[in-house]
Amino acid sequence: MNVSILGTGYVGLTTGVCLAFLGHKVTCADADEGKIAMLENGEVPFYEPHLADLITEARCNLKFTTDYSQAIPGAQVIFIAVGTPPGPNGAPDLKYLQSAARGIGENLSGGFTVVVNKSTVPIGSGNWVGSLVREAFEQRNGRKSNGNFSVASNPEFLREGTALHDSLFPDRVVIGADTAQTGEVLYTLYRPILDQTFQPPPYLPRPEEVGAVPLISTDLASAELIKYAANAFLALKISYINEIGLLSEKVGADIAQIAKGIGLDARIGTRFLQSGIGWGGSCFGKDTAALIATAHEYGLEMPIVNAAREVNRRQRERVVDKLLGELRILKGRTIGLLGLAFKPHTDDLREAPALDIARKLIERGARVKAHDPVAMERFKREHPDLEVLCCETPEEVARDADAVVLVTEWPQYREMDWEAVAKTMRTAIVLDGRMVLDRARMSRAGLKYLGLAC
Ligand SMILES: NC(=O)c1ccc[n+]([C@@H]2O[C@H](COP(=O)([O-])OP(=O)(O)OC[C@H]3O[C@@H](n4cnc5c(N)ncnc54)[C@H](O)[C@@H]3O)[C@@H](O)[C@H]2O)c1
């Protein structure tokens, strides 16, 4: 099929490249000329494992442009995958969505086109996008659009760091559409994924347990709400274990064992039950805020979702409190942060806990050093205001530091020669913000181990 993707960020580019790999003809359009120039040169504008390899493999089916008049006419399916960042009152800012929808309407021509909201958008956005496309088409062409397009919702559930895996082997595909014809087009598009009939590349082998992928075929509003409800649930699962972690610390219990003991109950599941600094990233904070804002429009409160947000905010403060408890004074101290990205295997810094923690430490007069395997260049570019000294190696972060905090659980931090590290520190203290370091090993290495929940 001829497919266009508007927005070549983490979601749009991944979707476009996967569809091109499956044999569709894909045009990826972005408003950012710099990004498109990089993509045309074979460079990927952000870090995502194996994305560059898959682009190379699918290159013959891929085009990149900034020009909607190259991307829209003749496309059978157009995905909108632009950003929907949080606005001032919690509801997402929809200006990029609006401009993409207008651009589609102005350039629509040819046969029947399905316009798909893949961006996470508030309930009712499907209808809104439909009206914007129709209006722009009619203004440009001076005639009615007469059913030459329809709008669908196809929320995205990929995780940065495993985006390709999640797109090729998803837990489910959700399609919200108001007509059978629309659903049918997307069913045809996704068929190789739904039936798992494609040959995966060697670096992304199909997991043994993956069989046919379930399709949830529903109306627009339900598809839109599924996305928000799923993210809010994951967020509150994390906050729940962090709340239990607080109590566990007080009573001298072991939060790792508690999480295991809870999670092995098949009704609960072990994932997202790792206590620590809590969530960051572009989705959970924004999507929980948006859910609350939507509920308010209907006169509803969302006490559970609100509480999950509050617990998450508190976890970041706990890092500073723990350091204060140990060092008493932070002014003049040097604190090292291991990890800047909001989670391992990505360079995404949106709402990363490391930023908040660095800011709080600097406010208290501490000097902050940091390392991240892939996010340091982006950090320097996007946060020139934050006075953090970026170090080439994690060992350099620890040298002469009064404490190091493990903020992002990159695997290499676990494998460091902690004994050698301890000898170079001013005071050998490690605060394990993700509860992934081995306490006994840290003690043997000569470090005082502090866990966020112990
Ligand atoms: N990042 C994730 O893990 C993730 C997962 C699921 C869903 N989502 C949702 O997907 C959407 C996109 O997220 P992202 O992380 O890929 O965002 P992103 O910021 O990485 O990418 C958005 C891209 O859209 C481009 N853009 C903006 N306006 C445009 C326009 N009018 N036409 C063409 N391009 C335009 C920007 O230049 C940017 O490259 C959001 O709604 C997000 O909530 C994200």
Side-chain angles (χ1 to χ4, degrees), residues 63-359:
K63 271 196 238 156
F64 298 106
T65 183
T66 53
D67 185 355
Y68 272 33
S69 71
Q70 302 280 315
I72 308 295
Q76 292 159 281
V77 182
I78 301 171
F79 283 96
I80 304 181
V82 299
T84 48
N89 62 354
D93 181 347
L94 299 178
K95 64 172 182 270
Y96 304 116
L97 184 73
Q98 184 176 36
S99 129
R102 286 212 176 111
I104 294 171
E106 285 166 4
N107 290 281
L108 212 52
S109 72
F112 179 68
T113 306
V114 177
V115 176
V116 189
N117 270 339
K118 194 168 245 325
S119 299
T120 304
V121 290
I123 293 97
S125 297
N127 298 336
W128 185 59
V129 162
S131 68
L132 290 169
V133 173
R134 202 170 302 114
E135 227 172 73
F137 178 88
E138 291 174 4
Q139 271 171 15
R140 174 61 58 100
N141 296 283
R143 62 181 165 89
K144 295 250 176 253
S145 58
N146 282 341
N148 61 349
F149 78 95
S150 70
V151 178
S153 164
N154 171 223
E156 181 54 61
F157 301 98
L158 66 76
R159 297 159 299 171
E160 289 171 23
T162 52
L164 294 178
H165 175 278
D166 297 348
S167 298
L168 291 172
F169 313 115
D171 290 341
R172 77 300 208 185
V173 170
V174 174
I175 294 176
D178 288 341
T179 68
Q181 188 192 7
T182 310
E184 202 56 43
V185 170
L186 291 184
Y187 178 71
T188 308
L189 183 83
Y190 278 126
R191 194 142 186 189
I193 289 178
L194 293 168
D195 296 347
Q196 289 291 305
T197 46
F198 63 92
Q199 179 69 38
Y203 44 86
L204 286 165
R206 177 177 289 114
E208 260 173 36
E209 67 281 7
V210 170
V213 172
L215 170 70
I216 311 292
S217 193
T218 183
D219 58 281
L220 276 168
S222 302
E224 289 163 350
L225 189 49
I226 284 171
K227 174 63 192 172
Y228 282 111
N231 267 3
F233 190 83
L234 293 171
L236 66 92
K237 208 171 167 192
I238 295 172
S239 282
Y240 178 71
I241 198 66
N242 282 334
E243 186 165 281
I244 296 295
L246 271 178
L247 182 60
S248 153
E249 181 179 14
K250 294 277 182 220
V251 302
D254 180 343
I255 190 63
Q257 291 299 313
I258 295 169
K260 199 167 169 190
I262 303 171
L264 286 174
D265 185 325
R267 292 169 300 178
I268 297 174
T270 48
R271 292 164 77 189
F272 282 71
L273 274 187
Q274 175 77 44
S275 88
I277 291 173
W279 79 72
S282 66
C283 291
F284 285 1
K286 160 175 87 69
D287 295 349
T288 49
L291 190 59
I292 291 166
T294 301
H296 276 179
E297 285 176 24
Y298 292 86
L300 292 174
E301 300 292 324
M302 292 257 138
I304 296 178
V305 182
N306 262 313
R309 287 171 59 79
E310 176 53 21
V311 168
N312 197 60
R313 190 192 59 73
R314 219 167 47 191
Q315 287 305 97
R316 298 176 183 195
E317 279 172 5
R318 278 173 58 70
V319 171
V320 180
D321 290 347
K322 281 259 170 182
L323 290 172
L324 267 176
E326 197 58 37
L327 296 167
R328 304 288 162 192
I329 290 168
L330 288 177
K331 212 177 188 58
R333 305 277 195 186
T334 300
I335 309 295
L337 303 183
L338 295 179
L340 288 167
F342 84 93
K343 68 173 183 179
H345 310 294
T346 181
D347 60 351
D348 198 343
L349 292 159
R350 289 177 286 186
E351 292 201 35
L355 305 177
D356 240 7
I357 293 166
R359 225 169 264 125

Side-chain angles (χ1 to χ4, degrees), residues 3-17 25-37 39-40 45-46 59 61-73 75 77-83 96 99-101 103-104 107 119:
V3 180
S4 283
I5 315 270
L6 308 182
T8 59
Y10 292 90
V11 166
L13 188 58
T14 304
T15 305
V17 172
K25 295 280 172 205
V26 180
T27 303
C28 293
D30 202 288
D32 183 333
E33 287 177 7
K35 273 191 184 171
I36 293 301
L39 287 163
E40 277 179 330
F46 50 85
R59 196 66 185 90
N61 285 336
L62 273 171
K63 271 196 238 156
F64 298 106
T65 183
T66 53
D67 185 355
Y68 272 33
S69 71
Q70 302 280 315
I72 308 295
V77 182
I78 301 171
F79 283 96
I80 304 181
V82 299
Y96 304 116
S99 129
I104 294 171
N107 290 281
S119 299

